[in-house]
Amino acid sequence: MEKCEAKKRIEKLKETIRYHRYLYHVLDKEEISPGALDSLKHDLYLLEQKYPEFVAPDSPTQRISGKPLDKFVKVKHSQRMLSLNDIFDYGELAGWENRLKKIIPKMIGGYYCEIKMDGLAVSLVYEDGILARGVTRGDGQTGEDVTMNARTIESIPLKLDLKGLFGAQTNFLGGIFEVRGEVYMSIKEFKKVNALRKREGLEVFANPRNLAAGTIRQLDARVAAKRKLSFMGYDLITDVGQKTHEDSHEFMKKAGFPSNKFNQYCRDLAEVENYYKKIQKMRDQLSYQIDGIVVCVNRLEYYDKLGVVGKAPRYMVAYKFPAEQSTTRIMDIEVQVGRTGALTPVAILEPVNVAGSVVSRATLHNEDEIKRKDVRIGDTVVVQKAGDVIPEVVSVLPRMRDGAEKKWKMPKCCPICGSAVKRVGKEAIARCVNKKCFAQVKRGIAHFVSKSGFGIDGVGPKVIDKLLDEGLIHDAADLFSLTVGDLEVLERFAEKSAENIVAAIQSKRVVDFDRFLYSLGIRHVGLKTASDLAVQYGGIDNLINASKEDLFEVENIGEVVAESVYDYFHDQKNMDLLKKLEEQKVGYNKVIRGKKLKGLSFVITGILVSFERSEIEKKLLDMGANVSSTVSRKTSYLVAGENPGSKYARAKKLGTKIISEEELLEMIKK
Ligand code: IVH
C-alpha cells in the first residue's frame, strides 16, 4: 500500500472503529460482531506499526475510547485502567517476546497465563477492608461509580478476609486495597434473562457481555440483583509484597476473590502455546464465554522498564482465539462457472485470517445478494466461514468507503465460453446456456472422479485441465481409455506418476450404483438422493424409463428433483455419455440398503481422522441411516470430529446426542 493510501485508510479505520466502539462500549449495542471489530483494530495496529509517523493521540490504539456515561457519578482511578493489545497467532506471540527482549535481553521468570473472560473490567476499592467503590473502566482515567450494583454480585467480597491475607495484622496500607477484574455473566444466566425478556416482549441481548455491561450500568440496583453477575479477579493493584503476577493471584485468593482455576504459570512460549491450545479446546465446555488468553510477564520487577505504549502495557498481551468473522478488502470480483453452469460471483480478498486459516476468496452467492448487501469492488467487508467451511462476505462497512469503490454487474456472457448467461424464472442463479461450456465439462469430470463419486485418486483439477487442454479427454468416459503414454504430458506437474493415475482409473471401473448416479452430476442429486434412487430403481435402465410421476413417488424425492432426474435422462448429450461409459465397460454394483441404522439421522461436524467424510456418509446411508448437513430436532446424533464448527453449538442448544468418531465407528461395525 502506498504511503498516502495508508494514511487515508488509517483515518477511515479510526473513524469506523470509533463508531463501532461507541456502540459497543457505551451503548452496549453492536452492528458488527466483536470479532469483526477486533479485526479492524488489528488492521489499524498493523498499519500504524508500519507507518509510525501516522500514529496520532486520537487513535483507538492510543487511548481507551469508552466514555463514562453521564447518568453515573464519575470516579477517577487511582492508576489508569489500561487495555491490551491483541495478537492472533504464534508468529505474533514470538514477535511480542522479541520486542520484550530488545528492552530486557536477559529477561527470565516465565509467563503467567490467564483465561480472558468476555465481560467488562471493574475496579474494586476497599477501605479498611470494606468494599467502598466499584468503578467501571470508562475512558481509563475516569470510570462510572457502580458500587450499588457491584454489591449485588455474590462473588465480590463485601468485606476482605484480612486474616487470610495478613495473619493477625489487620491495620495495613493506610486501609486501601484495590483489585481489578472482569464482571461477567454465565451463559446459563444469560439465557434465563433473555428468555424472560422475550416472554415480556422486550428486546433480547446479543451476548452475555452486552447483558453484563447493561446490568452493571443499571441505575436500579434491584434489577442488577435479579440478574446474577459474577466476578473474576485478574490484578491486584495494591502492593502487598507480591513479586510476581502469580503472587498477585495468590494474594487475591487469600483475600477472598475468585481467581480463575485454569490460570497457569508457563516457563516459555512453547508452554504458552500449549496452554492456548488446551484452553481453546475446552472453550465450549466452560459455563461462561471467553475470547482468548492473557499472557503476562510474570516478574513484576520488569514492569516499569517495559512500560506502557499508548493504551496497553508491553508486559501483557491478549492472545485471542481466531474470530469466526474478520474484516478485509475486496480487491476484485470474479465469476466462477460451476458444474451446472451456475455463475457464482467470488470476491478476491486481501488475504485475511478467518477462524484460524488464511482466506483469499469468499463467495458472494449471486447477483441479488450483491445488490442487497451493496457490495462494491474496493469495499471493506466482514467475512466469515459459513457452515464450517466456505468463506462468505457477510456485510459491507460503508463507513470505510473513500469514493473509489466500483459497482459490479453480472457479465452477460459466460467468462469461459462466451455463450449467453441467463436467469430462468425466479431463480437467483445466472447460468451459462452452453451445456458444453469448458468450465462445466471440467467441473463435471471433477465431480465424477470425486471422493463421493468414482473416488479416483490423483485426477485433480490441474490434471483434468491439462487433459482437456490437450484434447486427450472430452468427458469422464474418456478417462477409462487413457494410457500411460497419453499421460506422459502430465508428468511434469501431476503429483502422481502416469502409471499410478492409469492404475487408479482402471481400479474404479465398477462402483456402487449410488456412487455411479451421484457422479453423473444430475442437478439436485447429492449422495443421499442418489442412494434413495439407487435403492428404489436398482439399475440405470429402470431410471431411464421412469416417468416424472414415478420418480415423484420415491420417498424423500420432491417435484424439483423428480423433474431434474427426468430431464437428465431425456437429454441426448447425457444418454451419449451413458452409452460411452457402457462401451468402456464402466458399470455398477446393485445397492442393497441395510437396516441396522434405519430411522436414525446423523450430522457430521469437524475433521474425522480415520475416514474421509464422504466414506462415512456412504456407510451410514448403506446401513439405512439418514445423513444431513444441518442439525435439527430430527437429528439423532451429531458426530463431532476435531475442531467441530457451529453445528456443535447448535446440537448442544437442542440437546442433540453428541458422539465422537470412535463411538460412530463402533456403531457402524458390521
Ligand atoms: S489483564 C492492563 N486479564 O480484557 C489491562 N484482562 O482486552 C489488564 N480481560 O480490559 C487486563 N480477562 O476487561 C486481563 N484475565 C484477564 C482478563 C482481562 C478479561 C479483559 C479486561 C481488559 C480487556 C483487554
Side-chain angles (χ1 to χ4, degrees):
M1 193 180 293
E2 298 280 322
K3 201 167 167 177
C4 62
E5 211 185 320
K7 187 166 184 234
K8 260 201 246 157
R9 191 153 171 86
I10 285 177
E11 283 311 313
K12 284 282 169 196
L13 280 165
K14 287 200 296 201
E15 196 185 305
T16 311
I17 293 167
R18 221 170 278 136
Y19 169 76
H20 290 288
R21 281 189 65 114
Y22 183 77
L23 286 185
Y24 190 73
H25 287 290
V26 182
L27 303 182
D28 303 322
K29 284 193 176 151
E30 57 186 50
E31 281 177 11
I32 61 173
S33 69
L37 180 54
D38 274 349
S39 179
L40 287 176
K41 285 193 270 173
H42 198 55
D43 264 6
L44 177 62
Y45 172 73
L46 292 179
L47 268 181
E48 285 184 342
Q49 285 220 320
K50 201 163 166 201
Y51 300 99
E53 62 271 40
F54 297 142
V55 180
D58 72 339
S59 172
T61 58
Q62 300 303 301
R63 71 186 183 90
I64 298 152
S65 54
K67 280 195 204 123
L69 285 188
D70 283 339
K71 62 182 183 179
F72 290 99
V73 172
K74 294 183 188 68
V75 180
K76 198 161 167 19
H77 296 299
S78 62
Q79 275 179 32
R80 192 147 78 106
M81 278 185 90
L82 297 166
S83 188
L84 296 174
N85 282 331
D86 295 340
I87 55 167
F88 291 90
D89 58 35
Y90 187 78
E92 288 185 314
L93 180 68
W96 173 65
E97 185 179 72
N98 281 340
R99 290 195 295 281
L100 300 181
K101 291 207 163 152
K102 270 198 189 133
I103 301 172
I104 305 176
K106 294 211 170 91
M107 194 176 83
I108 52 166
Y111 301 100
Y112 189 70
C113 293
E114 301 187 16
I115 300 268
K116 189 170 184 314
M117 314 286 300
D118 202 4
L120 70 152
V122 167
S123 143
L124 302 172
V125 179
Y126 290 76
E127 285 174 1
D128 294 325
I130 306 291
L131 177 64
R133 276 183 306 285
V135 188
T136 63
R137 182 170 61 182
D139 63 5
Q141 304 279 7
T142 308
E144 302 140 344
D145 186 333
V146 292
T147 314
M148 289 306 284
N149 295 337
R151 287 206 179 107
T152 70
I153 301 176
E154 271 178 34
S155 41
I156 294 182
L158 295 176
K159 190 166 182 282
L160 295 181
D161 181 359
L162 297 174
K163 279 220 177 90
L165 195 56
F166 297 107
Q169 182 201 345
T170 51
N171 59 330
F172 70 103
L173 314 161
I176 298 283
F177 190 86
E178 183 178 354
V179 161
R180 291 178 180 175
E182 200 80 345
V183 165
Y184 65 98
M185 188 177 274
S186 72
I187 297 170
K188 198 166 156 202
E189 183 66 16
F190 163 72
K191 285 187 180 155
K192 209 163 99 188
V193 175
N194 257 357
L196 191 69
R197 287 180 70 83
K198 207 168 174 186
R199 248 179 282 142
E200 289 170 355
L202 298 168
E203 211 184 320
V204 293
F205 286 87
N207 53 50
R209 199 213 76 91
N210 281 4
L211 181 48
T215 305
I216 196 81
R217 287 172 170 147
Q218 275 292 327
L219 283 176
D220 183 351
R222 283 170 304 181
V223 177
K226 263 193 237 153
R227 301 178 191 165
K228 299 244 169 306
L229 291 173
S230 305
F231 177 82
M232 192 69 83
Y234 58 63
D235 204 6
L236 172 56
I237 301 301
T238 314
D239 181 357
V240 292
Q242 66 270 47
K243 297 269 179 287
T244 62
H245 192 63
E246 191 173 12
D247 285 350
S248 294
H249 277 268
E250 289 308 315
F251 278 118
M252 273 193 285
K253 275 193 267 184
K254 280 186 186 153
F257 294 92
S259 148
N260 203 309
K261 64 175 183 200
F262 296 113
N263 292 351
Q264 187 181 305
Y265 170 77
C266 292
R267 270 178 302 186
D268 53 26
L269 291 197
E271 284 190 11
V272 171
E273 185 67 7
N274 280 340
Y275 174 78
Y276 173 79
K277 287 192 177 138
K278 180 180 90 180
I279 302 297
Q280 192 174 11
K281 266 205 188 122
M282 56 185 244
R283 184 182 188 183
D284 288 335
Q285 269 101 60
L286 295 173
S287 58
Y288 44 83
Q289 285 195 338
I290 66 171
D291 57 352
I293 63 165
V294 177
V295 190
C296 316
V297 169
N298 198 25
R299 290 202 180 182
L300 304 183
E301 65 193 78
Y302 298 134
Y303 281 24
D304 276 349
K305 193 143 191 223
L306 290 171
V308 172
V309 197
K311 58 156 197 173
R314 261 207 201 89
Y315 44 84
M316 283 181 187
V317 77
Y319 189 1
K320 290 231 178 150
F321 297 137
E324 302 291 318
Q325 294 192 341
S326 301
T327 55
T328 188
R329 241 181 349 156
I330 297 188
M331 313 300 289
D332 200 0
I333 297 179
E334 280 180 4
V335 172
Q336 197 173 311
V337 184
R339 188 171 47 81
T340 58
L343 268 62
T344 307
V346 176
I348 310 301
L349 307 170
E350 243 171 38
V352 61
N353 194 324
V354 189
S357 55
V358 176
V359 163
S360 59
R361 299 165 75 87
T363 182
L364 288 159
H365 299 292
N366 55 57
E367 204 177 358
D368 291 353
E369 278 291 293
I370 294 188
K371 276 205 192 112
R372 190 177 66 76
K373 293 176 185 157
D374 188 19
V375 181
R376 304 178 195 179
I377 297 169
D379 264 339
T380 299
V381 291
V382 176
V383 285
Q384 76 176 8
K385 284 207 187 143
D388 296 354
V389 273
I390 316 154
E392 66 172 355
V393 171
V394 183
S395 61
V396 171
L397 297 172
R399 282 167 191 275
M400 289 298 295
R401 283 189 178 146
D402 62 8
E405 295 73 21
K406 282 195 218 106
K407 288 204 176 186
W408 180 87
K409 266 203 176 138
M410 181 63 89
K412 295 210 162 32
C413 301
C414 169
I416 304 291
C417 71
S419 307
V421 166
K422 289 229 167 89
R423 279 171 68 165
V424 182
K426 287 200 182 118
E427 256 202 342
I429 315 267
R431 290 179 200 276
C432 165
V433 296
N434 175 11
K435 293 244 163 76
K436 292 214 159 95
C437 172
F438 181 80
Q440 292 186 51
V441 174
K442 189 168 93 180
R443 280 173 196 278
I445 297 173
H447 182 78
F448 187 95
V449 299
S450 68
K451 291 265 180 302
S452 303
F454 271 67
I456 300 175
D457 279 346
V459 184
K462 271 198 200 161
V463 172
I464 297 171
D465 261 3
K466 187 77 180 157
L467 292 171
L468 283 167
D469 271 351
E470 300 287 334
L472 288 168
I473 60 170
H474 300 96
D475 53 37
D478 288 337
L479 287 171
F480 295 90
S481 56
L482 285 174
T483 63
V484 173
D486 290 340
L487 288 173
E488 264 155 18
V489 289
L490 301 176
E491 289 285 3
R492 261 177 302 114
F493 67 93
E495 273 172 26
K496 295 211 167 169
S497 71
E499 269 121 305
N500 285 344
I501 295 178
V502 170
I505 297 172
Q506 296 306 328
S507 71
K508 293 288 171 69
R509 258 180 212 279
V510 180
V511 293
D512 284 355
F513 188 37
D514 50 355
R515 284 180 183 259
F516 183 93
L517 277 178
Y518 172 85
S519 63
L520 296 178
I522 306 170
R523 196 179 297 168
H524 304 303
V525 178
L527 201 52
K528 166 83 176 82
T529 307
S531 168
D532 289 340
L533 288 170
V535 171
Q536 184 69 26
Y537 284 93
I540 206 85
D541 290 334
N542 297 338
L543 260 174
I544 293 172
N545 293 326
S547 68
K548 272 186 210 172
E549 291 70 31
D550 292 340
L551 288 160
F552 188 40
E553 287 295 300
V554 180
E555 205 186 331
N556 301 327
I557 292 196
E559 217 169 317
V560 177
V561 182
E563 186 151 327
S564 166
V565 174
Y566 181 87
D567 288 350
Y568 182 90
F569 291 109
H570 288 80
D571 182 327
Q572 194 50 49
K573 184 176 77 65
N574 300 328
M575 297 311 285
D576 291 346
L577 175 70
L578 287 170
K579 188 152 171 264
K580 248 175 114 174
L581 285 169
E582 200 183 343
E583 283 164 7
Q584 288 291 338
K585 303 204 169 34
V586 176
Y588 50 82
N589 296 315
K590 213 171 154 156
V591 173
I592 300 154
R593 198 177 269 178
K595 293 213 170 70
K596 191 173 172 196
L597 302 178
K598 195 165 187 256
L600 296 178
S601 166
F602 289 77
V603 175
I604 301 174
T605 183
I607 302 158
L608 302 181
V609 279
S610 31
F611 283 102
E612 287 285 341
R613 192 185 276 211
S614 58
E615 283 175 88
I616 291 272
E617 286 178 2
K618 166 111 174 69
K619 275 214 163 76
L620 288 169
L621 291 172
D622 286 350
M623 294 180 124
N626 240 325
V627 182
S628 161
S629 55
T630 47
V631 177
S632 74
R633 295 202 183 277
K634 286 189 193 147
T635 310
S636 324
Y637 294 100
L638 176 85
V639 184
E642 273 176 30
N643 284 331
S646 56
K647 289 173 199 166
Y648 188 89
R650 177 149 172 81
K652 277 208 126 178
K653 203 166 150 195
L654 293 180
T656 311
K657 192 154 183 352
I658 299 173
I659 57 169
S660 65
E661 184 175 352
E662 292 79 54
E663 287 170 291
L664 173 72
L665 294 180
E666 199 50 42
M667 268 186 179
I668 58 178
K669 254 195 200 161
K670 290 241 167 94

